[in-house]
Amino acid sequence: MKYKRVLVKLSGEALAGEQGRGFDHEIIAGVVKQLGELISNGIEVAVVIGGGNFWRGRTSGDMDRTKADQIGMLATVMNAIYVADVCRSQGLKASVQTPFVIGSMTELFSKDQAISDLEAGKIVFFAGGTGHPFFSTDTGAALRGCEIEVDTLLFAKNIDGVYDSDPKTNPNAKKYDRLSCQEMLKRDLKAIDTTAAALCIEQKLPIVVFDLGAEQSIVKVANGDKMGTTIYIEG
């Protein structure tokens, strides 16, 4: 395996499957099986899940942005609790940390506790984003990845990499195998949130964007196979 510690960022929509809402248990069970393979191969695994299968702030109309983002944070908590429970049903150990207290349902974020859990073979889910509005789960993933000092961020999406334009509307769109984070921002490619990208540049944290739906994609990417797009940091 190429990496010792990774953070996997999962799209909420990807976990919903074709139905587009809620949970597709078959997809989630397949993802969890792959996470288990990483654990069995000695890789420490953290996970951040978006909330788009329940709520997206940009679809909230005229609602107050802060309140809309707070609902989105809670959507990510529901996802993390669900997927963590699927992990446990498959014999894996898992914990869920949030940046705010939610009774006894989650643990309050602690870098020391997170690293202790990772070293003990637990899958650690970071839910609730940064705990503040106006920040995406991409930024939450980058922040937690920097804090726990992962080797790379693995962004599993519904697309097989980063393109120079939208492949859904441009059949001639070019896919990048490698792309610098600085160039991605310069070209305004929006593969990840700009705040997350800036943090990754500052902390020199690379990213791999790949298709969650490809067979064994998480395992292959963690193994260093050439899949998707590697976003590296210049300098």
Side-chain angles (χ1 to χ4, degrees), residues 17-36:
E18 294 183 359
Q19 62 195 13
R21 307 283 294 178
F23 302 116
D24 185 313
H25 186 76
E26 185 176 348
I27 289 175
I28 294 171
V31 167
V32 169
K33 183 178 179 182
Q34 290 189 68
L35 298 180

Side-chain angles (χ1 to χ4, degrees), residues 142-162:
L143 175 63
R144 295 295 181 241
C146 290
E147 286 180 299
I148 64 171
E149 302 174 58
V150 297
D151 298 318
T152 189
L153 299 176
L154 305 181
F155 275 48
K157 294 179 173 283
N158 285 327
I159 190 170
D160 63 347
V162 180

Side-chain angles (χ1 to χ4, degrees), residues 210-229:
F210 64 98
D211 181 10
L212 177 63
E215 185 177 359
Q216 288 288 94
S217 59
I218 298 174
V219 173
K220 289 177 179 177
V221 170
N223 195 36
D225 289 10
K226 292 183 179 179
M227 291 186 65
T229 302

Side-chain angles (χ1 to χ4, degrees), residues 201-212:
I201 290 172
E202 179 182 309
Q203 298 300 317
K204 300 189 182 303
L205 180 60
I207 308 148
V208 183
V209 177
F210 64 98
D211 181 10
L212 177 63

Side-chain angles (χ1 to χ4, degrees), residues 78-204:
M78 290 192 293
N79 283 341
I81 291 173
Y82 184 93
V83 180
D85 190 65
V86 176
C87 286
R88 297 184 191 104
S89 73
Q90 293 195 16
L92 301 170
K93 297 177 181 178
S95 61
V96 179
Q97 292 194 358
T98 50
F100 40 79
V101 176
I102 311 182
S104 60
M105 289 183 285
T106 67
E107 302 171 9
L108 191 61
F109 170 73
S110 161
K111 172 181 176 176
D112 292 342
Q113 185 60 53
I115 290 177
S116 177
D117 284 354
L118 290 168
E119 291 175 343
K122 282 188 179 181
I123 298 173
V124 180
F125 290 82
F126 296 121
T130 65
H132 300 282
F134 301 99
F135 294 100
S136 71
T137 48
D138 282 359
T139 299
L143 175 63
R144 295 295 181 241
C146 290
E147 286 180 299
I148 64 171
E149 302 174 58
V150 297
D151 298 318
T152 189
L153 299 176
L154 305 181
F155 275 48
K157 294 179 173 283
N158 285 327
I159 190 170
D160 63 347
V162 180
Y163 287 77
D164 63 356
S165 58
D166 188 349
K168 293 180 181 178
T169 58
N170 178 15
N172 298 313
K174 173 191 172 185
K175 175 177 169 287
Y176 295 98
D177 293 326
R178 283 175 55 81
L179 175 72
S180 76
C181 206
Q182 290 89 337
E183 186 69 14
M184 180 190 70
L185 289 176
K186 181 180 178 181
R187 293 179 178 271
D188 194 29
L189 297 179
K190 302 185 185 303
I192 65 170
D193 179 80
T194 53
T195 305
L199 182 57
C200 288
I201 290 172
E202 179 182 309
Q203 298 300 317
K204 300 189 182 303

